[in-house]
Amino acid sequence: MADSSDERKRKAARERKRLSRANAAERRNSLGLSRVEIELPKAVNDQLEFLRHARGISGEAYTPSEYIKDLILNDAKQYQSQIAALGCCGKCKSPLPDGCEGTFQGDSECWRTRQSKELLL
């Protein structure tokens, strides 16, 4: 009789956990959030832990999600500034970063030959 009761408890716990996960996913979706999981080497994770505490000006550390979100937003701003400053390609005179889309890549006057690397992280 105890085995049957234990099994019912485990089954009920599994169902509660399933519902909890479904509710959490629904909440994330309703807020427009997506979940991203990353694996970091220990040295990088140690840097993340140090920096999220060091950058917490108010004395409270950023959460890993807040810190990574802010890094992405800051990089997006920097990228937009870089794109705005590009102008046109010296070879094809087309607006950058698309330019000739690689038609003249390798030509010394083509932006893609050398300067395109400036957009890399």
Side-chain angles (χ1 to χ4, degrees):
M1 191 67 149
D3 288 336
S4 178
S5 176
D6 288 344
E7 182 59 34
R8 278 195 301 265
K9 287 179 184 177
R10 284 195 293 272
K11 186 175 182 180
R14 283 193 303 268
E15 181 63 14
R16 280 192 307 277
K17 187 63 177 178
R18 186 189 69 74
L19 289 173
S20 173
R21 287 184 183 130
N23 288 336
E26 188 175 313
R27 270 192 310 278
R28 281 193 308 272
N29 286 339
S30 71
L31 295 172
L33 301 174
S34 60
R35 184 176 186 90
V36 176
E37 292 185 32
I38 59 173
E39 293 182 9
L40 300 173
K42 183 178 180 347
V44 174
N45 191 62
D46 290 347
Q47 289 176 336
L48 171 63
E49 290 302 308
F50 171 78
L51 289 169
R52 69 185 192 85
H53 284 86
R55 298 281 189 184
I57 295 173
S58 66
E60 187 173 327
Y62 285 95
T63 65
S65 293
E66 289 171 328
Y67 185 78
I68 292 169
K69 174 191 62 95
D70 285 346
L71 285 176
I72 292 168
L73 293 174
N74 287 337
D75 186 45
K77 286 179 191 174
Q78 180 182 357
Y79 178 78
Q80 290 305 316
S81 294
Q82 288 173 311
I83 294 298
L86 289 177
C88 294
C89 177
K91 175 69 178 178
C92 69
K93 309 298 185 222
S94 297
L96 297 171
D98 293 333
C100 65
E101 297 184 358
T103 303
F104 298 109
Q105 188 168 344
D107 186 297
S108 63
E109 293 181 24
C110 181
W111 175 81
R112 289 181 175 270
T113 303
R114 290 196 184 97
Q115 292 90 357
S116 63
K117 293 170 184 61
E118 294 170 4
L119 294 180
L120 299 175
L121 286 177

